[in-house]
Amino acid sequence: MTTKSIRIPIQPWFVLVVAVCLLTILFSNALWWLAISAFCSLLVLNLQFIVFPTTADRYWLNRLSLGMVLALVVSDSKY
């Protein structure tokens, strides 16, 4: 129960950070920035499962965040 109360305030901020990272990657043309963000997207993917420990629930913020993190990884892999 205590871990859930710690993670709940972090979840909206995590989704906001993922959204900013995704928009930055989509509109960036600098190769060095894309290389750094490719590494960081893998770290964000790991953080997804720490902030949202289960993917079996139907919480809309969990689904939104997971979709954006996967889009972040795929958009980085095209470069």
Side-chain angles (χ1 to χ4, degrees):
M1 188 75 175
T2 58
T3 58
K4 187 174 184 180
S5 65
I6 290 172
R7 289 186 181 135
I8 293 295
I10 295 172
Q11 291 173 349
W13 293 104
F14 181 75
V15 173
L16 183 66
V17 167
V18 171
V20 168
C21 289
L22 185 61
L23 289 174
T24 304
I25 288 169
L26 291 177
F27 294 114
S28 176
N29 291 329
L31 188 60
W32 64 272
W33 177 254
L34 294 173
I36 292 170
S37 64
F39 176 71
C40 291
S41 69
L42 296 176
L43 295 176
V44 169
L45 182 62
N46 286 329
L47 284 174
Q48 164 69 28
F49 297 109
I50 293 172
V51 174
F52 297 98
T54 180
T55 57
D57 62 352
R58 298 199 182 270
Y59 186 47
W60 67 272
L61 200 57
N62 186 1
R63 301 293 174 140
L64 176 69
S65 177
L66 184 62
M68 286 194 312
V69 167
L70 292 177
L72 183 67
V73 172
V74 169
S75 67
D76 273 336
S77 66
K78 72 177 181 177
Y79 295 105

